[in-house]
Structure formats: structure tokens, C-alpha cells
Amino acid sequence: MHKNNIQSMEEFNTNDKSERIEEEKEGIIEEEEKQQVNHYNDINNEFDEPAINPEKEEEKIKNFVNKELQKSKSGITFYFAWCCAILVHILFGIHPIFSRYLQHDSENPFPPMMLITSCHLFIIIIYLPRMLYKLFIYLKNKRQQEFKEQNEQNDIQLEEIDITTTQFHSESMKSKILKFIKLIAPVSVFLISLVVRSSTNIASSKFAKAIYVQLFALTTPFFLTFLTVFIYNKFISKTSGEKLTLKSWIAMLFTVIGGAIIIIGSSVSKEDSVENSWYSFLFIYKIDWNTFSDNVTWKDGIGILFTVISSVTLAIYMLSLRFMKETKETSKSISLTGENLFILQIFALALTFFIPSLIVDDWSLWLRLNYFDWIMFISFSIFVFMVANFINIFAINYLGASIVGSILALRLVSTIVFSSLILQEHLKSFWQLLGSLVVLISVTYFLIVEYKQEKQKRLEKLLKEQEKEIMLAEEETQHFNEEDSLELLEEGKEKLKEEDNNNVADNTKHVLL
């Protein structure tokens, strides 16, 4: 009886211990599962909020972008960049005045090809030390790169050679030709548009008045938008999201109206055209249609035609430059930094017209120039072709092309002021002033609309990139949590096995005792 009681007690204790072990096992598993779930939720909470509240995430990104812009655009450098942007448009506004004086008003007028070639050769001479320094740095880096490649392991080099040769032989002739065309076509379009743009821009000032040249030069943003929307986006690249909105159409319509008012406003009677002072045009309102052909001649028509061609080719030039930056093959082959682009342009324009100008033009003109001609030529070369381009590069790099371009209409103001001072080409009536104001407001409004569109496009791109990062982070977190949970379960199983073994051993000792 006593033995049976002891045996039953031992069985009861053994069963009680086994139940405790099972409860402990379940408790450990529940705690581990809770920890796992909490850990997963803590990590997931960091990424779930943007998906649940996209508006909050968009506000966060906007605030972050604005803060970064305020940080980068604070202080003296920001105001200096804005001063540079204003100075750029003032200098480019003087371009038709210098060009018209040297080709039309001077006692020894320059032929257009000779003027382009001479200005760019002069810039090359001035900029030669800098170009030699850049060439020295390039050759030095190239030699160091070649030295590094020579010090690499031979087997790796042989593998690379084998890979490249097999790829070369595997490529068909058709694919090679297509690759070459893709590489050379945008560069060719870029250079051709550059040459045509520069030559027509110079030649337009020879025939038309400076205000007409600058007026039609302001149509470049319109041509650029038209070509982007109807040609570039449809047939070449769909990366740009530019659209022609109702506001854009209204701005273009008012620009055309303002330009027509400026041209018609030049038709005043001969008595009124005799100016007593520079501000006498403010009191002239009457339009004399009989003098329209005298004030707007066929030469003005040729100059305006050249200006329109120049504006269209400038738009093509900008689109080809954008395409080369977007295309990986071209961007790898050609460096498109501001300074390298400037050097490419001055050499292209100097060498393109040099031989034709030597054959056609009379270069003995240099012996007949007076001191004022020399001042105008040197000022034209340095301030317009060199200083304005470098200031433009700095302003665009700091403020952005859309912000710098938003005050493009300032060029017309510069042209009107300096044309009156240097060429004595004053405004002839109040209507020309009114037309100028309409053009200024319309072009500025159009560029502001384009700037807002581009800003919205950038924000959307930023949001898409943020969404991609969130998706990738969620995938990585999910993958990490799955692996982590498996590892924790395996560790829990091993611990439970060890505890089971220990408990069995303890129970055996108790039973033996």
C-alpha cells in the first residue's frame, strides 16, 4: 500500500512536471511570436505611413525640398546669382546693338562671316591659357588611368579582351551602323543648329533694327515648347511632360499682339519723327499708315526672317543638347559640362567660317578701323560672347535654367535702352512703348507658367522615386522578417529540445531517487 502510494505520487509529480514543461514551451513560443510580431510591426510602421497617408508624405517632401532650397539659396551667393542672371539678360540684350553697329552703322562695316570668325578667334586667343591647362590635366589623368590599367592582373585583362572581342564579333553590321547613327546624329544636329543659329543671329542685325531683332528673338521659348510638345515628345523622347495649356496660348496670343503694336507703332509722320528729345515718343499717338513702308522696309523683313530662323534653330539646339544629356551612349562619349560646351562652340564657329571668310571677305578692313570700332569689337567679343556665357553658366548652375529664363523679357528692355543710347534708334510713338510692355508681361507670364509646370513635374518625379524607395524597403524588410522569424523559430525549437532533455534527465533522477 505504501509502495503504491509512493508510486502514484511519483507518477503525479512526473505528470505535473511534464504539464509544466508543456506550459513553459507554449509560453516561450507565445512570447517569441509576440516579440516577432512586435518587431515586424515596429519596422513596418516606418514604411506603412506613406502608403496610408500619401498627402502627409507629399507635404513632408515639399517641406524638405523647400528647406533645402532655402538653405542652398540663402546668403550673399543667392543674391549674387540673381544679379548675374539679370546681368546675363542685359548683356544678351546688347548683342543686336553691337552687331548692328559693327555691320551697319560703322564707317567700316564688317561682313557677317568675318565678324563671327574674328570674335571667336579673339576669344580663343584670350582663353588659350585656360584651355592649355585643361588639356594638361586631361592628359595627366589619362596617363594615370593607363598606368593603373597596365598594373592590373593579366588574367582579368585577358577576360575583358575576350568578352569585348566576342561582343564585337557578335554584333552585326546593321547594329554597328545604327549605334554609330545614334551617336553621331544628335551631335551633327547640335553643331548644324549652332552654326545656323549664330550666323542668322549676326546677319539679322545687319538688316533689321535692333528692337525688331530682339522682339522676334523672344519667340524662342514659344518655338521650344511647340517643338517639344508636337515633335520631341511624340517622335524622339517621351521623358518630357511639357504641355501647352490655355495660359500658354493666351500668353503667346498677347505676345503676337504686342509685337504687331510695336511694328505698327513705328509708322508716324515725318514731322513727328523729328525728335526733340528721347522722351518725345510719349506724346505721339497718331499712326500714319502712308509711312508704314518707309519705316518698315524690306531689309527689316529680311532681318526679321533671319531672327525667326535663328529662334527656331536655337530651340533645336536646346532640344539636341537635352537629348544628348538624356542618351547614355552620347553622354558617355561627350562631356556636356558648361565650360567644355563653351570651348566646343567657340572652336566650331571660328573654324566653320574661317576659310569661307578668307575667300570672300576683305580682311584689310582691320587696317581701316578707328578707335571706337575697336572698342565696340572688343566689348562685343568679351562682354557678349565670353563674359555673358560664363555668367549664364554660373546662374543656371545655381538658380536653374527655368528661373534664369523667367526674366528673359528683360533683354527687350536692355535693347530699347542701349539702342537709344548707342545707335540713336529711339522709340517713335507711345504705341511702341505699349507694345513693349505687352510683350514683356506676356513673355514673363508664359515663362512663369512653364516654370511652375516644370516644378510640378520635378515634384512628381521626386514622389515616384520616394514610392520606389518605400516599396524596395518594404520588400527588403519583409524578406528580412521572414528569414529572422525562421531563425528565431529554429532557435526556439533547439532551446525547447535542450530543455526537454534537461527536464527528462531531472525527472529520471527524481524517479531513481
Short mmCIF file of all heavy atoms in Angstrom, two decimals, residues 489-499:
data_model
loop_
_atom_site.label_atom_id
_atom_site.label_comp_id
_atom_site.label_asym_id
_atom_site.label_seq_id
_atom_site.Cartn_x
_atom_site.Cartn_y
_atom_site.Cartn_z
N LEU A 489 12.48 30.80 -34.85
CA LEU A 489 11.77 29.54 -34.62
C LEU A 489 12.73 28.37 -34.46
O LEU A 489 12.54 27.50 -33.61
CB LEU A 489 10.79 29.27 -35.77
CG LEU A 489 9.54 30.17 -35.81
CD1 LEU A 489 8.76 29.94 -37.09
CD2 LEU A 489 8.66 29.91 -34.59
N GLU A 490 13.76 28.35 -35.31
CA GLU A 490 14.76 27.28 -35.20
C GLU A 490 15.47 27.35 -33.85
O GLU A 490 15.70 26.32 -33.19
CB GLU A 490 15.78 27.40 -36.34
CG GLU A 490 15.22 27.07 -37.71
CD GLU A 490 14.83 25.61 -37.81
OE1 GLU A 490 15.46 24.77 -37.14
OE2 GLU A 490 13.88 25.31 -38.55
N GLU A 491 15.83 28.58 -33.44
CA GLU A 491 16.48 28.74 -32.14
C GLU A 491 15.54 28.31 -31.00
O GLU A 491 15.94 27.66 -30.02
CB GLU A 491 16.90 30.20 -31.93
CG GLU A 491 18.06 30.63 -32.82
CD GLU A 491 18.38 32.10 -32.64
OE1 GLU A 491 17.70 32.77 -31.82
OE2 GLU A 491 19.31 32.57 -33.32
N GLY A 492 14.22 28.66 -31.12
CA GLY A 492 13.26 28.26 -30.11
C GLY A 492 13.12 26.76 -30.01
O GLY A 492 13.03 26.19 -28.92
N LYS A 493 13.09 26.11 -31.18
CA LYS A 493 12.99 24.64 -31.20
C LYS A 493 14.20 24.00 -30.53
O LYS A 493 14.09 23.05 -29.75
CB LYS A 493 12.87 24.15 -32.64
CG LYS A 493 11.50 24.41 -33.25
CD LYS A 493 11.47 23.92 -34.68
CE LYS A 493 10.10 24.20 -35.31
NZ LYS A 493 10.07 23.75 -36.72
N GLU A 494 15.39 24.53 -30.85
CA GLU A 494 16.61 23.98 -30.24
C GLU A 494 16.60 24.17 -28.72
O GLU A 494 16.97 23.28 -27.95
CB GLU A 494 17.83 24.66 -30.85
CG GLU A 494 18.08 24.23 -32.29
CD GLU A 494 19.26 24.97 -32.90
OE1 GLU A 494 19.87 25.80 -32.19
OE2 GLU A 494 19.57 24.73 -34.08
N LYS A 495 16.15 25.36 -28.28
CA LYS A 495 16.08 25.61 -26.83
C LYS A 495 15.09 24.67 -26.16
O LYS A 495 15.34 24.14 -25.08
CB LYS A 495 15.67 27.07 -26.57
CG LYS A 495 16.76 28.08 -26.86
CD LYS A 495 16.26 29.49 -26.58
CE LYS A 495 17.35 30.50 -26.87
NZ LYS A 495 16.87 31.88 -26.62
N LEU A 496 13.94 24.48 -26.82
CA LEU A 496 12.94 23.57 -26.26
C LEU A 496 13.45 22.13 -26.18
O LEU A 496 13.19 21.42 -25.22
CB LEU A 496 11.66 23.62 -27.11
CG LEU A 496 10.83 24.92 -26.99
CD1 LEU A 496 9.71 24.92 -28.01
CD2 LEU A 496 10.27 25.06 -25.59
N LYS A 497 14.18 21.73 -27.22
CA LYS A 497 14.76 20.39 -27.20
C LYS A 497 15.75 20.24 -26.05
O LYS A 497 15.76 19.23 -25.33
CB LYS A 497 15.47 20.09 -28.52
CG LYS A 497 14.52 19.80 -29.67
CD LYS A 497 15.30 19.54 -30.95
CE LYS A 497 14.33 19.27 -32.10
NZ LYS A 497 15.07 19.04 -33.36
N GLU A 498 16.60 21.27 -25.87
CA GLU A 498 17.56 21.23 -24.77
C GLU A 498 16.84 21.17 -23.42
O GLU A 498 17.21 20.41 -22.51
CB GLU A 498 18.46 22.47 -24.83
CG GLU A 498 19.45 22.44 -25.99
CD GLU A 498 20.27 23.70 -26.05
OE1 GLU A 498 20.07 24.58 -25.18
OE2 GLU A 498 21.10 23.81 -26.96
N GLU A 499 15.78 22.00 -23.27
CA GLU A 499 15.02 22.00 -22.02
C GLU A 499 14.31 20.66 -21.79
O GLU A 499 14.24 20.15 -20.67
CB GLU A 499 14.00 23.13 -22.03
CG GLU A 499 14.65 24.50 -21.91
CD GLU A 499 13.63 25.61 -21.99
OE1 GLU A 499 12.43 25.29 -22.12
OE2 GLU A 499 14.03 26.78 -21.90
#
